[in-house]
């Protein structure tokens, strides 16, 4: 393994959110705050499009997968 790969995979180099044991589900004001920050930093949301799944939950997916929803 190269030095770069070793450095990238080291836990100490990963941000705190990547070291969490479980995903965090954003709700309420936290979700609104996250949405505002994302909209400010990347108004196009990285090319992702909002869709609604069969359970009527909203997801952000790449444009090539929009038709699956």
């Amino acid at each position: 393994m190269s030095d770069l790969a070793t450095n990238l995979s080291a836990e100490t180099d990963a941000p705190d959110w990547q070291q969490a044991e479980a995903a965090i589900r954003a709700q309420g004001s936290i979700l609104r705050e996250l949405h505002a920050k994302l909209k400010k930093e990347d108004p196009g949301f990285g090319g992702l499009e909002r869709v609604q799944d069969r359970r009527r939950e909203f997801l952000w997916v790449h444009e090539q997968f929009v038709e699956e929803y």
Side-chain angles (χ1 to χ4, degrees):
M1 184 180 300
S2 72
D3 288 340
L4 177 60
T6 301
N7 288 339
L8 290 175
S9 66
E11 284 186 357
T12 57
D13 290 342
D16 289 340
W17 61 269
Q18 287 182 337
Q19 294 179 25
E21 292 181 20
I24 298 170
R25 186 175 186 101
Q27 298 177 356
S29 65
I30 300 292
L31 181 59
R32 288 188 297 275
E33 192 174 324
L34 174 62
H35 185 259
K37 179 166 178 56
L38 288 173
K39 191 171 186 176
K40 178 182 173 190
E41 298 293 324
D42 184 8
F45 291 99
L48 298 178
E49 296 189 32
R50 184 176 156 183
V51 296
Q52 198 169 18
D53 67 8
R54 290 184 180 118
R55 294 182 294 188
R56 302 186 52 83
E57 295 177 333
F58 289 101
L59 306 171
W60 291 91
V61 299
H62 187 274
E63 62 187 19
Q64 78 183 53
F65 300 108
V66 169
E67 295 302 317
E68 293 184 25
Y69 296 92

